Each structure stands twice: as C-alpha cells, then as structure tokens.
Amino acid sequence: MSQLSIEKIAAVVEGTVVTGSAAKTRGVSLLSIDSRTLVDPEGCLFFALVGERHDGHRHLLELYEKGVRHFVVSAPPQESDAFQEASFIVVKNTLTALQQLSAFIRNEFQFPVLAITGSNGKTIVKEWLFDLLQQEFRIFRSPKSYNSQVGVPLSIWNMQGDAELGILEAGVSKPGEMEKLTGLIRPEMGLFTNIGDAHQENFSSMEEKVGEKLRLFEGANLLVCRRDQELVFQMASEKYASSETRIFSWSTNGLPADLAFTVKSSQATTQLLFEWGKSSYAIPIPFVDEASIENACHCLALICAKGWLSDSVICGFESLQAVAMRLELKQGVNGCTLINDFYNSDINSLEIALQFLNQQTGFPSQRKTVILSDIKQSGFAPYQLYTEVNRLLQLNRVNQLIGIGSVIQEHRGVFQVLAQFYESTQEFVKQAKTEDFQNEVILLKGAREFRFESVSSLLQKKYHRTQLEISLNTLVENLNAFRAVIKPETRIMVMVKAFSYGSGTVEIARALEYQKVNYLAVAVADEGIELRQAGIETPILVMNPEEHSFDAMIEYRLEPNIYSWEVFRKFNKVAAHSAVSQYPVHIKLETGMNRLGFSDAEELAEIASQVQQEGILRVQSVFSHLAATDEPLHDAFTRRQYERFEQLADVVVANQKNKVIRHILNSAGIERFPEFQMDMVRLGIGLYGVASESIDVRPIARWTTAVSQVKTVLKQETVGYGRKGKVDRHKQIAVIPVGYADGYNRRFSNGVGKVWVNGGRVPVIGNVCMDMTMIDVSEVEVEAGDLVELMGEHIGLMELAAWAETIPYEILTGISQRVRRVYSQE
C-alpha cells in the first residue's frame, strides 16, 4: 500500500493543516472512520465523520491516546495542549473530504472498473463474477457490501495495487446520493441487477429510484440489465439512447433481447440454455431458486457482452457456491468460539474479520487462532501480500496461524507468529486433533474453493439442527434507532437479564460493550459473574441481589440494586468487611409498581446520610420502574409515578456529594415519554425488536429447524399424543425436531401454530411433543433436511405471542438454551 503525506492529502481535500508543537512527519497508509476498530495507529488517518447518530470528533482524544496522530476534522479540538504530536486537516465537511481523497485515488487506476447497483443481489453477483473470472484477470473488488457513501470511498482506497479489473457495488437510500458515488467510481462497465422495494419510503416513485440508480452509469461504455425488468430497461434505453453507453439486455421470458435464456430446473440444479455467436450452450448451475438463477444470468450476460466466455469460465458456473453474506459466530469444541468467514479471502476482508475476532475475544490473554487459506488474486506480489498478512496478524495479537494452501505454505518464512501449514483442507482435516483447540477464539478465513465447511464441521460443537440465529447488525441498528431519540448526554443501560431475552448473554454483552453502552443489567449475580469471566468490563447492575452472593459480587465488581433496608444493611456489612470504599450501589424506589423498592422518605434520608458519612458505599444511581408506559390508558398514572420518583429521588440525591444518576424509563417509556429521560434510560425489549411504530426496530432473531422425516398418513388415522391430530384425507406429514422442551409452546398444537417451509405456511397437526412437532405439508413439496422457519421473516414474533395468548417476552425468554445460538454480522 502506497503512502501519502499529510500535505498531499490536505491539498487533495482542500483542507488546512494544523499541527501540534511536537508533530512529526509521517506518511498515511490507512484510513479509519471508527475508533473501535483501530488496530494500527501508526500511519492511520482518522476521518471524524458526523452523522445523525454519531460524531467522530467525540473520540479524538481517545484515538490520540491510542497512538493516532493524523486526523481530518471539521474543527480542531479546543484542548490543543493534549494533542502536541497531532496533525489535523481541517475541512468544511469530513465526508466530502473522504470522498475527495477517494476520487484522487480513483484517478490513479490503470484498470477498468465494473459498477453494480440494484435493489438485491449486488454482493452475490460481485462475488460470483470474481469466482468466475479470477483465473482470467487479477481482480480488485469491494469487501462484503461496502456500497454506501462511506463504504465506496473506503473500497477505492483499498484497491491500490496492480490489477486488471475492479468491481465495485453502489447502493443508495435516498435521492441525490448516486451523483457522488458516480463521481467516485466512474465505471467503464455497469450492471443493474433489479429493482425492488428497498428504501422505497425515501423516493416519491419507483421511477425516481430507478432514475437515481441509472445515474451511476453515466460515461460507461456498457450497461447490462434484464429485459424482463420493464421499467429498468425502458428508462435505461431512453436515458442512454443518444450516448455512447451500449445497453446489453437479457431475458428468460422470450422478450426481444441481446441474450435469451431458456431455464430448465430439476430438483437440485438448473440448466441455462442459450445461443451465443455460432454456438449453443447448456450451462448447469447448482441452484433452483429464482434469485440465484437471476444472479447467474446477470453474470453470464456480462461475460458474453465482454467476450469473456471461455471453457474455464463455463466450468466455473457448475461449481458456484452460495455466498454467506455475513460472519457467523458459533460455539466451538472445548470451550472455543468459532467465527466462520469463508465465503471469500482477500486482504481487505481479512482486516475486517480480524476486527471482529478482537471484538469476540474476552480477555487480552485469551488465545486467538486464524485458519487462513491462500489469498487469491490480491493484486500484490505473493511475498508482499503475505508480509502484509503477517503484519495484520501481529497487530491483532494473533497467537497462532494455520495456513492452508501451497502459496501461503511457500511463504511460511515471512510469518513471525506461531504457524503451521498444510497443503490442502483435506490434509488439515485428516491430521487435526480437536483436543489441540482449547478455550480460544478461532477465525476461519478461506477462499471458497478451499471448502472450509469441513473445517467448521470439525471444530464446531455438535448440536441438532434447531437453532436461533441472532443478527448482531440488527441489534446495533435497533440500538441506534433508540439512540436517535435519546439525548446525547443521556446514558443507556441495556437489560441483558434472562439470557439477554433468550438471545445469549455473553455474545450480546460483547456487542453492546463494543457499541459503548454505559451500563448492563442482569437479574442475578451469576449472570453478571459469567459476563465478567468472559472479559466484559462495562459496569453491571444486579437487579435481584441475594445475600449469599454479596462477596462474589464485590469480587467481580457487580453493583447491587438496594431495594430495602435489610438488603442495604447486609450488603453494607459485607462491603465493610471487604475493606472497600465508595463501592457503587443503586437505590430502587417504589412509585406505584408495587414490586421492589423504598417508598418511605425518612428511611431513604437515613440511608443516604449513612452512606455519605461512612464512605463504604456510594449511591451510583437512584431509579424506579414505570408500570404501564406502553398503554395510553394509564398515562396519567405514569405521570404521577414520575412526580413521586422526583420527590423521593431528591431525598437521596440531596445527601450525596457525588453526581447521582437518575433513571426511570424503559423501552416503551423512551418512545412515549422522552421528557422523562433524565440521566439514563433502561433499554430492554425494544433492543431485541419489539417497539411501537414510532421507533423503527426489527426482531434480531430467526428461529429455524429442519425436517426429520416426511410420511403419508391415511384418511381416518390420527397424529400425535391423545390422537388429537385428525386426518380427514390422505396427508403428507413432516416431523420437525423441536418441541415444548425447546420453548415451542404447547399452545401451538392442533393448527393454532404455523411454520414456514419451502415457500408456504403450514399448520401444526396434533399436539406439540416435548422434543418433536408434526406439521401438515400436504400443500407444499417437502423432503427430509428442508429448512423450516419457526420465527423470522415469515412467522413473526408478535404472531407467535398472539397464538400462545402471551407476550413476546415469554416467547423469547422461553426458547431453551439447548437450542444453539448462532450469531451473524455483515
């Protein structure tokens, strides 16, 4: 990676350089926009981006203390004495500056660029084109789905080097955005995948959205699109009718197009039949779903249009694989954590995966292992490439590298971490011993041709196929949705009790700590101890402290909820014996919930006075719980609760020298009573995806299983215990390995509950059993092994709660811990 001087960058972005008295001249080779992902401060330039929910300027001192010395800001920090070695490039708009720098780098490209846009399929088409063409060209491509106003500039910066083709995605969410991306990408070729409803709320019409996306290809000499997408084809043809941009269209519906496909699907594969040049082709792909067929046709059309169709490319279609769009976090053998990211392998995505590896490492001393395949088509000479890999491994404090492939093995001498090498995946799987992996975090990062699925299978803890997939991206999006309505100065406590509402305690807590929430709250001390043992350092409140755990709470720095005089007296005594001082505690007030808490002002005054005089404890916060914030019928009662809280809280706060945090709002309260935010709010069920329409959140979990067996049940027979499943005609019944012991409520029996399988909803038949449930699949084609959705996109959490005549809390918290949790992050 080449380096640029601060002076050169300042000239490019039209900024002014302000340096500290002890600033030194260093070159810039890395860009950063996130203080949390920093691993290599030397040579890093931090852009302090400002958005609706964040401001990078707040993290300047933190980054400086970590070693960063170069910053792009819209205003230098006032405390200049704290930044004596720093250099600041002051600009009007930091995002604009990032894009200007990217445009400068784009000018240096000596290779053509393909730009891909559309509502769906952009990343898959990009990855498949890379797979299909990597033997023909040295290709740079954007990592994962870096297609935004920020992602595209970062992708372009990372595409420096020797290549023959660049592939970039571009996505927009509102009018006016594509013009900036077009100026950055300036593609010679373009591909429009399709148009759908994504982000439609920001456009006045579908025509406006198509027009916005088509701006990307202004100046390109080729645009590939689907003739069957009538609106896209019509608008593209009109827009580029008098330009040098050639429209190349394809169709599967018999419409007149440059390339006409006939699609023939069998049970597991599809053949794409077409004529091109003077030859006829029948190309098999290992997919039968419409989306994959469309994406393969996009790839074929571009390849034909460019004259790149060859025997090796044709062979590549048969071995295309599904693209995992996100990293997956799973439980591994022997207490290990397994991170699966083997849908591609390049230097940029390796850096992203290593950041996630650090996020999931509980302690600095916890062992980190990376299993890495040969990196294909990096654009760099192999020695330079693997020297850079070694540098990244060292920066991220990786303890062990397992290299798989002939090229990485050939360059074993550049690695300065403990390393072992294997010629192939098969050789590693054959020789590896699972007992060699103990209580460590393992990152699997491999090119798809290395088939790391077998490595994952070897190292993954074995479960049955019922699982709850947790999207960490959605978790963060929900958190940010609430942050958007919470005042910047108001702190956030997140409830991770009850196994984080069924989502998994440690993994959720790590993600929240990474997002810098102020507090976590658990129900009992054991939950908090588990978090501390996993390396979580965020302050933790224990809502239901028990006397037998007081010593352990102090040992693990857990902060108790003091809700009665008796709890106060006993904890104060244990704290005194432990010789602590100013130990933080939280005072719970009773204001109308009639659960736990103090309601007597005199008692509160006595406790507050004793705390202040002795100095053993410190009142960290005072709080209460609103009983009915989600029901407008009780708004008057809610306001009386708040007034009562203020009165009682004043009694405590008045006696303390330290600043006491006051908090009363839960998730529903944050939505409906923003005026009651005070010093902190407590975010619970809203984070996990349940809120009113005023805050846009989505469920973070998808619950799935797989069909165990399919059988025919004849008319007049019955299904399940008690013979409750009546069969009035011959039916196809599928058995799925999930029951009420897994949390699948017995109230879903006999047609009350539904599941989603192979494109349709089907009812439960008979009674839900402890470990199994039967479903009526007479109206859909199903076979053993097919995926079944119990809760997710097609079966909503609120629906499940309604069917069970309960609340979503009970559904989530009732999902048994024997159901494995899988965590994903894009």
Side-chain angles (χ1 to χ4, degrees):
M1 184 69 70
S2 61
Q3 291 193 347
L4 293 178
S5 69
I6 286 294
E7 291 72 21
K8 178 62 176 178
I9 294 174
V12 169
V13 303
E14 303 175 0
T16 303
V17 179
V18 177
T19 60
S21 58
K24 299 177 182 179
T25 302
R26 297 182 180 91
V28 169
S29 58
L30 299 170
L31 303 185
S32 174
I33 60 168
D34 190 336
S35 63
R36 297 163 302 188
T37 60
L38 181 72
V39 294
D40 185 11
E42 186 175 349
C44 174
L45 176 63
F46 178 77
F47 281 77
L49 301 183
V50 179
E52 295 180 1
R53 301 168 182 169
H54 66 270
D55 185 348
H57 295 82
R58 298 174 185 168
H59 305 291
L60 297 181
L61 183 58
E62 171 192 348
L63 286 159
Y64 183 82
E65 291 173 347
K66 289 181 178 179
V68 178
R69 294 295 181 264
H70 302 316
F71 304 88
V72 177
V73 297
S74 55
Q78 295 181 350
E79 60 274 24
S80 57
D81 291 344
F83 296 89
Q84 294 184 5
E85 296 182 6
S87 297
F88 294 94
I89 301 176
V90 184
V91 297
K92 292 182 179 180
N93 184 292
T94 51
L95 175 58
T96 300
L98 175 63
Q99 294 170 341
Q100 288 174 314
L101 180 58
S102 169
F104 171 79
I105 297 298
R106 173 64 179 89
N107 286 336
E108 304 297 309
F109 286 6
Q110 301 299 314
F111 50 86
V113 171
L114 164 67
I116 303 173
T117 194
S119 296
N120 299 291
K122 296 185 293 293
T123 301
I124 295 172
V125 170
K126 177 193 68 182
E127 293 300 322
W128 281 0
L129 284 171
F130 176 82
D131 287 345
L132 294 164
L133 298 172
Q134 62 177 314
Q135 302 303 322
E136 312 291 325
F137 307 102
R138 292 191 302 276
I139 302 174
F140 278 155
R141 70 201 191 280
S142 52
K144 295 191 179 287
S145 53
Y146 273 38
N147 57 34
S148 66
Q149 300 291 304
V150 174
V152 168
L154 292 177
S155 296
I156 291 174
W157 172 270
N158 288 321
M159 290 171 75
Q160 300 178 59
D162 182 23
E164 296 171 311
L165 175 64
I167 308 177
L168 286 163
E169 296 180 49
V172 293
S173 58
K174 56 186 178 182
E177 290 184 333
M178 191 59 87
E179 180 179 6
K180 296 179 180 178
L181 297 185
T182 303
L184 298 179
I185 300 173
R186 299 197 299 280
E188 285 79 10
M189 300 166 281
L191 195 157
F192 198 127
T193 59
N194 53 44
I195 196 68
D197 293 330
H199 304 295
Q200 186 59 48
E201 67 277 6
N202 297 325
F203 294 91
S204 60
S205 65
M206 192 67 76
E207 287 78 5
E208 183 185 28
K209 184 163 65 173
V210 172
E212 179 72 15
K213 290 180 180 291
L214 284 173
R215 299 186 69 174
L216 176 62
F217 310 113
E218 294 171 358
N221 53 47
L222 172 68
L223 169 58
V224 175
C225 63
R226 185 173 185 179
R227 178 66 177 83
D228 310 321
Q229 285 256 318
E230 187 64 37
L231 181 61
V232 173
F233 177 75
Q234 177 183 343
M235 291 185 65
S237 300
E238 293 174 357
K239 180 177 179 67
Y240 295 112
S242 58
S243 74
E244 295 182 358
T245 302
R246 175 169 66 107
I247 306 295
F248 186 94
S249 63
W250 63 271
S251 172
T252 58
N253 293 335
L255 295 176
D258 296 289
L259 191 58
F261 293 109
T262 299
V263 178
K264 290 187 176 181
S265 294
S266 60
Q267 188 170 0
T269 62
T270 297
Q271 277 199 325
L272 301 177
L273 286 73
F274 63 99
E275 294 184 357
W276 184 247
K278 297 180 180 180
S279 301
S280 298
Y281 297 89
I283 296 183
I285 60 172
F287 304 98
V288 294
D289 63 287
E290 290 184 9
S292 295
I293 293 170
E294 179 183 50
N295 292 333
C297 290
H298 283 308
C299 295
L300 255 177
L302 177 79
I303 288 168
C304 289
K306 291 298 296 180
W308 293 338
L309 195 62
S310 66
D311 290 342
S312 63
V313 170
I314 291 172
C315 290
F317 277 92
E318 192 169 3
S319 58
L320 286 175
Q321 298 179 49
V323 175
M325 301 296 291
R326 52 196 178 268
L327 299 96
E328 286 189 338
L329 183 68
K330 299 182 177 181
Q331 281 188 289
V333 297
N334 309 321
C336 293
T337 298
L338 196 63
I339 301 172
N340 286 345
D341 186 26
F342 44 79
Y343 85 92
N344 70 5
S345 182
D346 57 61
I347 195 69
N348 296 325
S349 65
L350 174 62
E351 188 171 1
I352 295 168
L354 287 171
Q355 293 169 359
F356 188 70
L357 173 69
N358 287 330
Q359 180 183 331
Q360 296 305 321
T361 302
F363 292 97
S365 60
Q366 187 173 16
R367 187 175 175 83
K368 290 185 279 190
T369 294
V370 172
I371 302 179
L372 178 68
S373 78
D374 285 350
I375 294 178
K376 300 292 185 178
Q377 297 292 349
S378 69
F380 298 95
Y383 180 84
Q384 181 185 8
L385 169 67
Y386 290 108
T387 299
E388 175 65 10
V389 170
N390 174 67
R391 188 182 73 87
L392 290 174
L393 296 178
Q394 289 185 299
L395 284 170
N396 288 277
R397 296 181 174 84
V398 171
N399 304 96
Q400 177 182 218
L401 167 69
I402 296 175
I404 297 179
S406 59
V407 181
I408 193 172
Q409 185 175 30
E410 182 181 340
H411 292 83
R412 63 195 308 158
V414 307
F415 293 102
Q416 296 171 290
V417 299
L418 179 66
Q420 51 185 293
F421 298 89
Y422 298 85
E423 187 71 22
S424 66
T425 304
Q426 294 78 7
E427 181 185 352
F428 169 74
V429 171
K430 184 177 180 180
Q431 297 184 24
K433 298 178 181 178
T434 56
E435 57 266 27
D436 292 339
F437 300 89
Q438 299 283 338
N439 300 308
E440 56 195 279
V441 186
I442 305 169
L443 169 64
L444 304 186
K445 187 71 177 138
R448 284 195 289 280
E449 66 189 72
F450 283 86
R451 308 282 180 172
F452 269 17
E453 289 86 353
S454 58
V455 181
S456 177
S457 179
L458 174 71
L459 298 178
Q460 183 180 332
K461 188 174 180 179
K462 300 301 185 285
Y463 293 90
H464 63 72
R465 287 192 60 185
T466 301
Q467 69 177 36
L468 191 70
E469 182 182 331
I470 312 297
S471 169
L472 298 179
N473 291 88
T474 304
L475 178 86
V476 173
E477 290 168 5
N478 291 347
L479 175 63
N480 288 335
F482 276 93
R483 274 180 165 158
V485 299
I486 296 171
K487 299 173 184 176
E489 65 272 18
T490 300
R491 306 181 197 190
I492 298 177
M493 174 184 287
V494 176
M495 313 304 291
V496 293
K497 62 181 181 177
F499 204 52
S500 291
Y501 292 61
S503 301
T505 305
V506 171
E507 293 81 5
I508 296 296
R510 281 188 181 141
L512 293 170
E513 183 169 67
Y514 186 72
Q515 295 298 323
K516 298 186 177 181
V517 301
N518 305 98
Y519 257 94
L520 300 173
V522 297
V524 295
D526 286 348
E527 294 176 329
I529 291 171
E530 180 185 4
L531 295 182
R532 287 285 185 249
Q533 290 176 336
I536 303 299
E537 292 296 321
T538 301
I540 298 173
L541 167 62
V542 178
M543 301 298 282
N544 299 300
E546 298 170 296
E547 183 179 358
H548 68 82
S549 64
F550 286 171
D551 284 311
M553 288 179 62
I554 293 173
E555 178 185 355
Y556 286 97
R557 296 172 288 113
L558 307 176
E559 304 172 17
N561 164 25
I562 303 297
Y563 56 82
S564 70
W565 180 264
E566 182 180 15
V567 173
F568 167 74
R569 178 177 55 80
K570 290 179 178 179
F571 189 83
N572 193 54
K573 181 179 179 180
V574 171
H577 287 165
S578 300
V580 298
S581 64
Q582 297 293 311
Y583 195 90
V585 299
H586 303 256
I587 305 295
K588 177 69 178 292
L589 306 181
E590 170 54 62
T591 59
M593 182 78 165
N594 286 317
R595 209 162 59 174
L596 299 177
F598 292 95
S599 58
D600 185 274
E602 292 183 5
E603 194 173 39
L604 282 169
E606 185 177 351
I607 288 176
S609 177
Q610 182 175 339
V611 168
Q612 188 61 45
Q613 291 175 11
E614 293 178 344
I616 300 170
L617 306 179
R618 180 182 77 249
V619 178
Q620 183 74 358
S621 85
V622 57
F623 71 104
S624 188
H625 198 99
L626 297 172
T629 49
D630 57 343
E631 299 182 43
L633 174 67
H634 301 296
D635 282 358
F637 180 81
T638 296
R639 296 184 186 281
R640 288 197 298 271
Q641 273 197 273
Y642 178 75
E643 293 171 0
R644 178 61 175 162
F645 173 70
E646 283 193 308
Q647 295 168 0
L648 292 176
D650 286 345
V651 174
V652 179
V653 172
N655 285 278
Q656 308 306 307
K657 293 181 181 179
N658 60 286
K659 165 70 175 177
V660 177
I661 301 168
R662 299 175 302 159
H663 51 109
I664 194 171
L665 291 185
N666 56 6
S667 296
I670 295 170
E671 293 185 73
R672 301 194 61 247
F673 295 93
E675 67 272 25
F676 297 164
Q677 287 185 16
M678 307 187 88
D679 304 306
M680 186 159 68
V681 294
R682 299 190 302 276
L683 184 54
I685 192 69
L687 181 71
Y688 304 98
V690 178
S692 70
E693 295 181 358
S694 64
I695 295 184
D696 183 19
V697 298
R698 294 181 292 130
I700 69 171
R702 183 182 186 226
W703 190 8
T704 62
T705 188
V707 173
S708 300
Q709 184 181 23
V710 180
K711 59 177 61 181
T712 300
V713 178
L714 302 180
K715 182 178 180 180
Q716 303 304 323
E717 292 187 337
T718 59
V719 177
Y721 284 119
R723 304 189 67 199
K724 297 295 184 181
K726 306 294 184 182
V727 178
D728 55 4
R729 59 184 175 85
H730 292 357
K731 288 191 174 185
Q732 291 292 106
I733 304 300
V735 183
I736 54 177
V738 61
Y740 54 78
D742 301 288
Y744 197 68
N745 201 301
R746 199 168 181 273
R747 292 185 179 182
F748 297 152
S749 301
N750 303 307
V752 174
K754 311 289 190 303
V755 302
W756 179 272
V757 58
N758 289 350
R761 282 189 174 207
V762 301
V764 172
I765 183 168
N767 284 328
V768 173
C769 309
M770 180 182 290
D771 310 298
M772 287 176 280
T773 297
M774 287 67 71
I775 55 177
D776 183 352
V777 294
S778 303
E779 304 302 322
V780 294
E781 292 189 12
V782 174
E783 60 184 32
D786 285 349
L787 185 72
V788 178
E789 181 188 285
L790 307 170
M791 178 182 75
E793 180 182 0
H794 305 99
I795 305 292
L797 171 61
M798 300 302 290
E799 280 187 296
L800 288 176
W803 294 338
E805 299 179 351
T806 185
I807 56 178
Y809 296 78
E810 184 178 353
I811 298 296
L812 291 176
T813 59
I815 299 175
S816 168
Q817 292 192 35
R818 79 176 187 179
V819 173
R820 65 169 170 162
R821 270 66 175 174
V822 176
Y823 301 87
S824 64
Q825 177 168 307
E826 293 184 7

